[in-house]
Amino acid sequence: MFTSGIVAGLLFAGLAQCAIPLCPAPPQNASKPILDSFVSFSIEFSSFPDFAGNSSNPNAFSYTLLKNLGGLQGSNPIIRVGGNTQDYATFDASQTEALIGSFNFNRSKDYPTTISIGPSYFDSYSTWPNMTFLHGFNLAKNGTVGYDTLIGTVPLACKALGNGKLAYWQLGNEPDLYKTSSQGPVRPSWWNETDYVQEWLNKTRIMKQLVQENCPEVVAQGKFKFYAPSFGGAGNSLNLIRTWNAGLDADNDIAFIDSHKQPGVTLQGTLMNHTSTVLSVAKHLNESNLLANTGLPYILGETNSLYNEGAPGLSNSFGATLWGVDFNLYCAATGIGRVHMHQGTNYRYASWQPVQTVNETLGTKAPYYGNIMVAAFLGDLTANNVSISDIELGSTYQNAYAAYVNGRLERVAIIQMRAYNTTTGASGPRPSETFTFQLPPGTNKGASVKSVGVQRLLANGSDAITGITFDGYSYNYELDEGRPVVLNNVTRNEVVQVAQNGMVTVDVPWSSAVILNLHW
């Protein structure tokens, strides 16, 4: 088996590695069938009007990018509208503007920290047909203002999300940070899991009563269900397991156990680094295992590369694209039920910039191509028949995954994360690594793999922020407003023949990824 990225130089010198064996059927470590809409998004509450537009001026670019993904994975992404700013938002029934926000750069340079929304905020939910949503309600705000905001917005949300637009509900964003947030604590130091659960139950019961009064069909159809508790991660002041044991789901209204994740600091050391990905997901897998008796799926309701909305030159680079592929496929292979990649206007790690601003150009960004590759590799998930297996290569800098459809091996993904940087004076031919796979027994005899099609995720290097393609397609705004456009200067329809001994070999350049599609 291929063992370590440090032997790459030896491979170039002509040393052959052992073939990587592929199982014909899902191995013991393969995931359960992947949930539909695995590739989903979380959009910052204050940015949602930018991403969606309104009924007078819908954001067709955003909608096109979302539909591209829906076409690949069989169902559209589920859109969670939330984040830190959902817990800053208060409601003014007389306000004509959808959202009024004020920035305090001592608290955040990326989003407003004083926010008022009016009834027209909910008009943004009308712009994307056949999409489903979660609306994030403010839990952090207490007292009269918090209560008035809750009772004022629940009826508007349930009415706006009628006609099949409602996915689930959410109350509060990362309440495990309420006592310790650097932007200002909103709960006393003694506030604990029991206190949180009591507050959660009180407020969700108010919400249910309001929904029953204004949208009774939601309750009748069993759609009053939550993503919860939406905690921010390890080391914070509330523990997810203790919270659950304190009775968070006493009303049996939680559909998904929701946690959030924002990793690291560097490109090669954190993002283009499979070991870092494994370690960052391990905490969630531990929580998922401890809560397995609930029978509820465990998801990541908000995540992306690097905390604090990402870092320029890192989170918007092709290296972050490769991280996104490895991270999402590792989550899928290890039982994380769904991943919502977080987005926001001007955010460095966003998959696209929805509007033109003084800080960012309207357009498709590098991470979107990672979303596309993940959706293409998973394929149509609506039949509930796709499972993913992690093929650990024993290396920090590359990993592989197998996709099984109806119990049969159909696709293999390889992510090569050795940094190849074009802006630091890279010279000479771009290094590549050769991967050889042993296909299942019976190759070239009867119902066997005849050939293998190759789809490549490519850019000039890990530090590239433009010029990215998947399978020869560009999704850039300037070409056809986000629709896939074939580029004539990128190789497509590559086919690798299967040797008589069942071996198949593919070269993968540093800082790139491929999907091998098995043709039976």
Side-chain angles (χ1 to χ4, degrees):
M1 181 178 290
F2 190 78
T3 54
S4 173
I6 63 173
V7 302
L10 298 176
L11 295 177
F12 307 144
L15 269 162
Q17 75 274 27
C18 296
I20 303 163
L22 297 174
C23 297
Q28 189 174 1
N29 76 333
S31 70
K32 295 178 180 178
I34 304 296
L35 295 175
D36 61 4
S37 302
F38 180 89
V39 178
S40 285
F41 291 99
S42 164
I43 296 177
E44 189 66 52
F45 191 94
S46 60
S47 300
F48 183 55
D50 289 339
F51 275 80
N54 56 45
S55 56
S56 300
N57 186 26
N59 193 315
F61 172 49
S62 291
Y63 186 51
T64 294
L65 296 182
L66 293 169
K67 287 194 299 179
N68 292 338
L69 294 164
L72 291 169
Q73 66 177 357
S75 57
N76 287 324
I78 295 172
I79 309 301
R80 173 248 184 177
V81 178
N84 283 351
T85 54
Q86 82 180 64
D87 275 332
Y88 300 145
T90 58
F91 177 66
D92 182 349
S94 64
Q95 179 177 305
T96 57
E97 297 90 347
L99 183 147
I100 299 173
S102 301
F103 283 79
N104 179 342
F105 289 160
N106 292 325
R107 299 179 71 188
S108 174
K109 296 180 180 179
D110 292 313
Y111 47 72
T113 53
T114 301
I115 296 172
S116 174
I117 63 170
S120 62
Y121 180 92
F122 297 88
D123 183 44
S124 292
Y125 285 117
S126 69
T127 64
W128 294 343
N130 303 313
M131 295 286 168
T132 56
F133 302 88
L134 296 88
H135 177 84
F137 294 91
N138 189 333
L139 176 68
K141 187 71 70 175
N142 266 330
T144 302
V145 172
Y147 177 78
D148 289 346
T149 292
L150 191 65
I151 64 169
T153 56
V154 169
L156 292 173
C158 75
K159 291 174 182 176
L161 296 177
N163 299 319
K165 295 178 185 177
L166 174 65
Y168 302 96
W169 302 80
Q170 188 176 60
L171 175 65
N173 178 73
E174 300 177 4
D176 55 328
L177 294 173
Y178 282 0
K179 294 190 294 184
T180 59
S181 173
S182 59
Q183 297 174 356
V186 292
R187 291 295 184 276
S189 59
W190 47 260
W191 196 68
N192 61 23
E193 288 84 358
T194 301
D195 299 313
Y196 163 65
V197 167
Q198 189 59 54
E199 186 173 337
W200 160 272
L201 292 174
N202 287 340
K203 291 182 177 178
T204 55
R205 288 165 182 169
I206 291 172
M207 292 174 67
K208 185 172 184 179
Q209 180 180 348
L210 289 165
V211 171
Q212 182 69 64
E213 293 169 357
N214 293 275
C215 309
E217 69 281 359
V218 170
V219 177
Q221 294 167 4
K223 299 198 70 173
F224 188 75
K225 295 283 186 178
F226 285 84
Y227 271 24
S230 309
F231 281 2
N236 296 329
S237 65
L238 300 181
N239 177 274
L240 191 152
I241 307 300
R242 289 198 297 269
T243 298
W244 201 269
N245 292 339
L248 188 69
D249 197 27
D251 292 343
N252 193 32
D253 56 6
I254 295 176
F256 292 88
I257 300 171
D258 173 24
S259 188
H260 296 176
K261 183 68 181 175
Q262 300 284 341
V265 225
T266 65
L267 197 56
Q268 184 76 90
T270 302
L271 297 185
M272 295 174 63
N273 188 308
H274 179 66
T275 302
S276 176
T277 291
V278 170
L279 293 174
S280 72
V281 175
K283 171 256 180 186
H284 296 282
L285 297 180
N286 181 59
E287 287 182 343
S288 177
N289 290 335
L290 291 172
L291 294 171
N293 64 318
T294 66
L296 298 177
Y298 184 104
I299 64 158
L300 295 182
E302 177 187 317
T303 189
N304 216 314
S305 66
L306 309 181
Y307 51 82
N308 290 340
E309 294 69 62
L314 299 177
S315 302
N316 60 341
S317 74
F318 186 59
T321 305
L322 296 172
W323 167 82
V325 176
D326 188 43
F327 179 83
N328 276 271
L329 294 186
Y330 185 73
C331 285
T334 53
I336 303 291
R338 182 176 292 136
V339 177
H340 292 254
M341 302 300 286
H342 196 52
Q343 315 294 308
T345 305
N346 300 330
Y347 284 13
R348 275 74 61 190
Y349 55 42
S351 293
W352 70 96
Q353 172 70 7
V355 292
Q356 186 78 24
T357 70
V358 296
N359 297 313
E360 286 284 348
T361 301
L362 168 71
T364 312
K365 300 173 75 174
Y368 181 75
Y369 290 84
N371 307 146
I372 286 287
M373 178 168 168
V374 171
F377 180 71
L378 295 177
D380 188 347
L381 300 173
T382 57
N384 196 37
N385 63 349
V386 179
S387 59
I388 306 299
S389 173
D390 174 23
I391 307 173
E392 283 292 329
L393 302 181
S395 171
T396 292
Y397 301 116
Q398 54 266 321
N399 205 51
Y401 300 88
Y404 295 86
V405 181
N406 290 324
R408 187 176 77 172
L409 177 67
E410 294 288 346
R411 294 179 286 277
V412 176
I414 309 163
I415 306 103
Q416 211 317 315
M417 292 174 281
R418 278 281 184 185
Y420 178 76
N421 295 332
T422 58
T423 59
T424 55
S427 60
R430 184 171 179 170
S432 65
E433 296 192 27
T434 300
F435 294 83
T436 298
F437 294 91
Q438 174 67 65
L439 293 175
T443 301
N444 290 333
K445 295 178 182 179
S448 58
V449 179
K450 304 297 191 298
S451 64
V452 176
V454 181
Q455 296 174 297
R456 295 186 181 272
L457 179 63
L458 293 170
N460 286 336
S462 55
D463 53 349
I465 58 174
T466 59
I468 299 154
T469 60
F470 174 71
D471 194 29
Y473 286 97
S474 172
Y475 294 83
N476 281 5
Y477 177 81
E478 58 271 21
L479 295 181
D480 194 13
E481 298 184 352
R483 299 174 187 87
V485 175
V486 175
L487 301 186
N488 294 328
N489 61 344
V490 181
T491 302
R492 294 188 68 244
N493 301 318
E494 181 182 349
V495 176
V496 177
Q497 297 303 316
V498 180
Q500 288 294 322
N501 61 1
M503 300 286 190
V504 62
T505 299
V506 62
D507 291 327
V508 184
W510 282 15
S511 298
S512 72
V514 301
I515 295 176
L516 305 181
N517 295 284
L518 277 58
H519 300 153
W520 291 85

